[in-house]
Amino acid sequence: MNENTVTDWRALLDGDHRALRGAVIGVAPAEWSRPTPCEDWSVTQVLQHAAGDQIGYAAPITDGPWPTEDPFAPSGHIDEDPLAYVDRALEISARAWTKVGDDAPEVPTPLPQGPMPAWLSAGACALDAAVHAWDIAVATGQRSPLSPGMARQLMIVATRIVPPLRGYGAYAPELDAGSDADDVTMLLCFLGRRPRERPITADHDRAAITCRVPAGHGGHAEAVPPRPGGPVDRQCRAVVGLLPPPGRGVARRGFE
């Protein structure tokens, strides 16, 4: 694999779609109301957001419908089987990407960056599915769905698309992963997420999380607790998809 691109983006996207589906399968009926790393959002709400993002990536490719529900204000109620719900969104996404050439130079996206090469636009879609699969898994005590190989490829994508999105509140500042961090930890910390070894079990667990902001994001290292409406709160509300521009609401058709 070229160190600067993802050469087999179809395999990456398929794997991350399967990771999201697998995380949903692993949620027990009583766990849908559990808190997640996305502040104030339950597992159900993260699923609604993730499914909406997949549809949002497909819409500009096919000129098809956009999500019927605002992905940034998920209701927390799904009136159907959760697996059927995510399967429908993943099918819409997967079908859209079959219309994209392997080396297409410009593919429309719902991101403020606009069109991107196929490998990068598909990678962004894959990153969205993967990171929300991780959110659901860690909230429900499942094993991380992120493999080292997956994380290495997603890191190539993340380093290209995430820095501009931080200004929109999509991601918290990069965390200090440490010199001995593995590939998965490096990816999560780059995305402003703190790797966890146990599921979130109560609100006080969320409140106890602090984000170690490395020097360069304010001149010195500082422990910053998440707060409602803060950057960590906003990061899951719009991770990599359908992110509204600063000061504006979510447009039904992306960034109009």
Side-chain angles (χ1 to χ4, degrees), residues 23-44:
V24 171
I25 290 174
V27 179
E31 293 178 328
W32 288 105
S33 62
R34 292 177 67 95
T36 70
C38 306
E39 291 182 34
D40 301 324
W41 277 9
S42 67
V43 175
T44 297

Side-chain angles (χ1 to χ4, degrees), residues 129-211:
V131 75
H132 290 312
W134 183 85
D135 291 331
I136 291 171
V138 75
T140 55
Q142 301 180 53
R143 295 182 61 181
S144 171
L146 302 177
S147 69
M150 181 189 299
R152 284 192 293 272
Q153 295 184 78
L154 292 176
M155 190 68 166
I156 296 172
V157 175
T159 55
R160 294 286 294 272
I161 70 168
V162 168
L165 295 176
R166 295 195 200 277
Y168 289 80
Y171 293 92
E174 179 181 357
L175 309 184
D176 183 4
S179 59
D180 60 346
D182 59 25
D183 291 306
V184 172
T185 298
M186 288 178 63
L187 174 66
L188 291 171
C189 288
F190 184 78
L191 299 178
R193 280 168 163 77
R194 179 179 178 179
R196 298 181 63 88
E197 296 180 353
R198 60 187 177 88
I200 297 173
T201 56
D203 287 345
H204 71 268
D205 286 326
R206 277 195 308 233
I209 300 172
T210 59
C211 301

